[in-house]
Amino acid sequence: MSAREQRQVASDAGLTKHRVVVEAIRLADREGVEGLSMRRLARELGAGAMSLYHYVASKEELLDAMIDVVFEEIELPPEETDWQSAMRRRSVSARQVLARHPWAIGLMDSRTSPGAAHLRHREAVTACLRRAGFSALMATHANWLLDSLVYGYALQEANLPFDTADEFAAMAEDVYLPQLPPDEFPYLNESAAALVAADYDPAEEFIFGLDLALAALEPLRDSA
């Protein structure tokens, strides 16, 4: 065995599936999932590209494992509270997790080989809704509605040109308002000025929409 091959074997010896998946997530968090490849991942790990296939058989299997880790990070709806509080905590947690892993937003429901954490999460959500009195069909409607809210907000949040309420206020005053002369856009100008004056925080929109959806679902319990 050549000296180069010996160094490669020594480098590969520290690999595990967990390490491979965690490093893939770190890479996707930094650069997005589009640039993720087995060769690039191997380079990040200091390993041979072919050695990764001992732990994940393909990029699709790697993506399944990555999404499973994302689901594992989301808090399950607690059983010791009412269904609205439980689903609120789960949805808030999901939004926070997707803020850390925005690349996962479009992949959460696209995997056809869900892992153990993914299935546990889906079971816990369905169980919470069924125990609350939703029929199997209505629980599915509720799940779709809440997930659409979470994913849609996470996607919108990931693409906003500001990160904080202070940054929004600065952009509203310096960028948006000058483009909204009151004689031409009276309502938009009024809204932008009112938001700045109220110290508006766009992050609050998620809770507003979530609570509205939960309240709308409440009367649908015990319906077939």
Side-chain angles (χ1 to χ4, degrees), residues 15-148:
L15 289 182
T16 62
K17 182 175 181 178
H18 177 74
R19 186 183 168 205
V20 169
V21 173
V22 167
E23 189 58 42
I25 290 173
R26 287 177 182 155
L27 183 59
D29 287 347
R30 291 198 311 269
E31 303 177 19
V33 77
E34 297 80 9
L36 178 64
S37 68
M38 301 298 271
R39 186 177 298 276
R40 174 67 193 284
L41 179 57
R43 224 171 29 243
E44 292 290 321
L45 289 163
M50 295 306 296
S51 64
L52 299 189
Y53 291 99
H54 292 295
Y55 305 97
V56 286
S58 64
K59 183 178 177 180
E60 288 302 306
E61 185 175 311
L62 175 62
L63 289 173
D64 285 337
M66 293 165 66
I67 290 298
D68 209 46
V69 171
V70 174
F71 270 106
E72 193 167 22
E73 292 181 15
I74 301 173
E75 181 181 359
L76 298 179
E79 297 183 13
E80 66 277 4
T81 186
D82 64 278
W83 81 271
Q84 287 198 32
S85 298
M87 291 305 298
R88 193 179 196 269
R89 281 178 58 176
R90 172 263 177 186
S91 298
V92 168
S93 176
R95 173 209 168 188
Q96 293 169 341
V97 169
L98 290 176
R100 295 196 297 269
H101 310 299
W103 56 269
I105 297 169
L107 297 173
M108 297 293 278
D109 289 328
S110 70
R111 312 316 300 164
T112 57
S113 299
H118 187 164
L119 292 175
R120 279 196 304 272
H121 182 91
R122 295 298 185 194
E123 175 70 11
V125 168
T126 303
C128 176
L129 295 169
R130 293 288 285 119
R131 284 196 295 263
F134 290 96
S135 68
L137 181 58
M138 197 57 67
T140 300
H141 291 327
N143 195 2
W144 272 86
L145 174 62
L146 295 173
D147 278 358
S148 296

Side-chain angles (χ1 to χ4, degrees), residues 115-198:
H118 187 164
L119 292 175
R120 279 196 304 272
H121 182 91
R122 295 298 185 194
E123 175 70 11
V125 168
T126 303
C128 176
L129 295 169
R130 293 288 285 119
R131 284 196 295 263
F134 290 96
S135 68
L137 181 58
M138 197 57 67
T140 300
H141 291 327
N143 195 2
W144 272 86
L145 174 62
L146 295 173
D147 278 358
S148 296
L149 181 67
V150 171
Y151 298 158
Y153 187 89
L155 182 62
Q156 186 177 38
E157 190 174 36
N159 289 283
L160 289 174
F162 48 82
D163 293 321
T164 66
D166 288 341
E167 289 180 6
F168 168 79
M171 288 196 71
E173 288 185 295
D174 301 336
V175 179
Y176 299 143
L177 273 172
Q179 300 180 64
L180 302 172
D183 57 334
E184 188 174 0
F185 304 105
Y187 292 105
L188 290 178
N189 181 282
E190 178 189 41
S191 295
L195 294 178
V196 171

